Amino acid sequence: GHWVLDDRLNLTEIIVDSQIDPFKKRLEKPIDPITGWKKPSEEYTRHTIENSVKPLRRLTSPVFFSTDKEGKRRKGLSELPTQNEGPLLFVANHQFGGLDLGMIIAELVEERDLWVRGLAHPIAMGVAGAINGGEQVASRRTIRT
């Protein structure tokens, strides 16, 4: 019983690396983040906006602008192309350390029905291997001697 308290042993890694698979996750094909993406349900979208985005909107009162073809700035996102007009690269400057991302995405969905996916540098996402010049960084240990 006390072996789980031994700090030389990582029980989580042992379980993850074992053949124990009660939910049959190892049999599932990995989801491709590009071709496997599916639009969330309207109920999920409404719930997320109501509970996560609206409180931030009340605190910050964000204002959105877009630029028309003549270069004139317009309040709102009405000048953004629709999804039928081809791909769109939307670049946002996060003034609140990324907390504004939900408000930006919600505005794009509500005003223009644009469903976007974010890109971030691996360091911003804390991905192992992005540090030490691309060398893989060990994120788990089994036994420490």
Side-chain angles (χ1 to χ4, degrees):
H2 289 94
W3 60 271
V4 296
L5 301 175
D6 188 337
D7 71 346
R8 295 175 298 163
L9 186 74
N10 185 332
L11 183 60
T12 302
E13 182 180 86
I14 290 171
I15 292 171
V16 168
D17 291 343
S18 76
Q19 295 302 311
I20 299 171
D21 188 15
F23 303 110
K24 309 294 183 222
K25 292 288 185 185
R26 292 190 179 137
L27 299 176
E28 295 176 6
K29 283 177 90 175
I31 296 173
D32 184 305
I34 304 300
T35 61
W37 186 85
K38 290 180 179 49
K39 184 172 150 179
S41 70
E42 286 187 39
E43 179 184 341
Y44 179 82
T45 302
R46 262 194 312 276
H47 179 269
T48 302
I49 290 172
E50 283 294 320
N51 295 300
S52 298
V53 176
K54 282 195 175 178
L56 278 173
R57 282 180 176 160
R58 283 192 292 274
L59 286 171
T60 61
S61 303
V63 179
F64 294 86
F65 294 92
S66 55
T67 307
D68 66 18
K69 292 178 180 167
E70 286 77 41
K72 185 167 180 162
R73 204 171 311 142
R74 307 269 184 201
K75 189 173 181 181
L77 301 177
S78 62
E79 298 300 323
L80 290 180
T82 65
Q83 291 190 14
N84 298 333
E85 295 177 88
L88 169 69
L89 176 62
F90 185 87
V91 180
N93 183 5
H94 302 294
Q95 297 298 313
F96 297 107
L99 291 175
D100 56 343
L101 185 58
M103 291 185 288
I104 293 168
I105 291 173
E107 194 76 15
L108 290 166
V109 168
E110 291 174 317
E111 192 172 323
R112 301 294 292 161
D113 195 32
L114 290 172
W115 290 86
V116 298
R117 288 173 278 166
L119 298 173
H121 193 280
I123 289 178
M125 300 307 291
V127 174
I131 307 166
N132 290 339
E135 288 182 32
Q136 202 63 1
V137 177
S139 58
R140 301 182 305 182
R141 68 177 194 276
T142 304
I143 297 178
R144 185 175 61 209
T145 55

